Amino acid sequence: MSDHPSRPPQHVAIIMDGNGRWARQRSLSRLEGHHQGSAVAQDIVAAAAQMGIPYLTLYAFSSENWRRDSAEVSGLMTLLQHSLETKADELHEKGVRLKVIGERDALPHAILKTIEKVEDQTKENTRITLQMAISYGSRAEIVHAAKSLAEKVRDRRLNPEDITEQLFSDHLYTAGVPDLDLFIRTSGEHRISNYLLWQLSYAELVFVDKLWPDFTPEDFKEAIATYNTRERRFGTAA
Ligand code: IPE
Ligand code: IPE
Ligand code: MG
């Protein structure tokens, strides 16, 4: 079952980490780091589309990031809303389908409206699906799936014995999107931080030392090249 080494990953997910440290190195505010990070994210979406990667998931804001000070949180929400608003047409023209994963109820009304608008505008696009993880936490996602299955069982619309891995996947925010092939985290941190725990079961992990605002399409290509050197075995003998 091992993949052919040159097969491009179908689904790449990135933890875009290091904006704060990048800003501190330059005596800038953390928010200026996030602004630079947002510009880099746009370049990476374009590079992924160009490389024919059909699914890209970017971690923009975690459920734990709500614990940051309120100025940073509101600055990030404004930045996310503004970049979605101003880049919507460009994303659409590039054939990007936007999908936001995360706990929507926690988001400010204005950003929620923008998300719904851009998701609707881009829903027929097929070149690349961009999942933006906003107010996203993987454990919360799994609990949400468990609750919706439990409700179906309670209402006698589902038998417990019919719960399979596939059915469980279909109740996650990422329903319909294939599992990760490649996980990338920048900034030298070697942890998962509550990201896509179910979906990364067999992902290849690539950690990059560069801080996210310094990450380039070349670095992205290098991470894909590293992925292509990995032998994926999915439990079979070497
Ligand atoms: C990633 O950069 C962006 C978000 C988490 C929103 P950080 O803000 O975590 O930057 P560091 O890790 O403090 O450098
Ligand atoms: C993960 O990065 C979330 C995002 C990049 C959006 P964090 O910087 O929040 O993760 P920890 O706290 O270092 O694990
Ligand atoms: Mg960080």
Side-chain angles (χ1 to χ4, degrees):
M1 258 255 301
S2 81
D3 265 4
H4 188 274
S6 64
R7 192 169 170 245
Q10 293 294 104
H11 184 180
V12 180
I14 308 180
I15 299 188
M16 312 185 287
D17 197 14
N19 295 351
R21 277 162 284 168
W22 182 90
R24 193 170 61 222
Q25 285 173 356
R26 288 161 181 76
S27 306
L28 300 170
S29 69
R30 292 184 62 85
L31 223 45
E32 286 172 293
H34 295 315
H35 270 93
Q36 188 57 34
S38 165
V40 168
Q42 281 150 34
D43 293 345
I44 299 306
V45 172
Q50 225 163 36
M51 292 169 77
I53 293 166
Y55 298 93
L56 176 68
T57 304
L58 298 179
Y59 212 172
F61 191 88
S62 75
S63 45
E64 289 72 30
N65 290 148
W66 292 111
R67 296 177 188 150
R68 295 190 180 191
D69 80 48
S70 62
E72 182 172 356
V73 170
S74 62
L76 272 164
M77 288 298 141
T78 306
L79 171 63
L80 278 167
Q81 188 188 342
H82 183 255
S83 51
L84 281 175
E85 194 91 55
T86 55
K87 298 293 167 194
D89 289 344
E90 201 179 313
L91 289 173
H92 188 45
E93 276 155 29
K94 285 202 179 91
V96 178
R97 175 171 72 122
L98 178 84
K99 198 179 156 213
V100 169
I101 56 171
E103 206 208 313
R104 291 182 185 230
D105 291 349
L107 294 172
H109 184 73
I111 185 171
L112 198 56
K113 287 283 133 200
T114 304
I115 286 168
E116 286 168 356
K117 196 176 80 186
V118 184
E119 284 181 334
D120 191 60
Q121 182 185 358
T122 63
K123 65 173 188 261
E124 309 288 351
N125 292 338
T126 53
R127 189 173 181 209
I128 181 168
T129 295
L130 169 62
Q131 292 192 117
M132 292 278 292
I134 303 178
S135 189
Y136 174 87
S138 184
R139 285 184 163 198
E141 178 186 37
I142 290 168
V143 168
H144 171 88
K147 272 188 189 154
S148 41
L149 288 166
E151 282 164 8
K152 287 183 184 172
V153 170
R154 181 198 60 201
D155 300 342
R156 304 199 184 285
R157 288 184 289 135
L158 177 66
N159 291 319
E161 50 284 7
D162 293 333
I163 299 174
T164 59
E165 290 188 11
Q166 183 58 52
L167 191 75
F168 200 92
S169 293
D170 293 343
H171 286 75
L172 296 169
Y173 296 136
T174 53
V177 168
D179 283 348
L180 293 192
D181 296 305
L182 170 60
F183 163 102
I184 302 171
R185 183 173 191 149
T186 59
S187 90
E189 305 294 352
H190 296 178
R191 57 177 172 270
I192 307 294
S193 299
N194 202 14
Y195 195 38
L196 303 169
L197 301 176
W198 171 282
Q199 298 87 338
L200 61 67
S201 302
Y202 261 106
E204 293 297 323
L205 309 180
V206 171
F207 296 96
V208 177
D209 284 335
K210 272 196 183 178
L211 302 173
W212 178 253
D214 291 326
F215 193 73
T216 64
E218 272 316 304
D219 297 321
F220 184 61
K221 283 179 193 144
E222 208 177 297
I224 307 281
T226 302
Y227 165 84
N228 280 328
T229 65
R230 304 273 177 90
E231 190 197 343
R232 302 182 77 192
R233 288 201 282 272
F234 300 97
T236 62

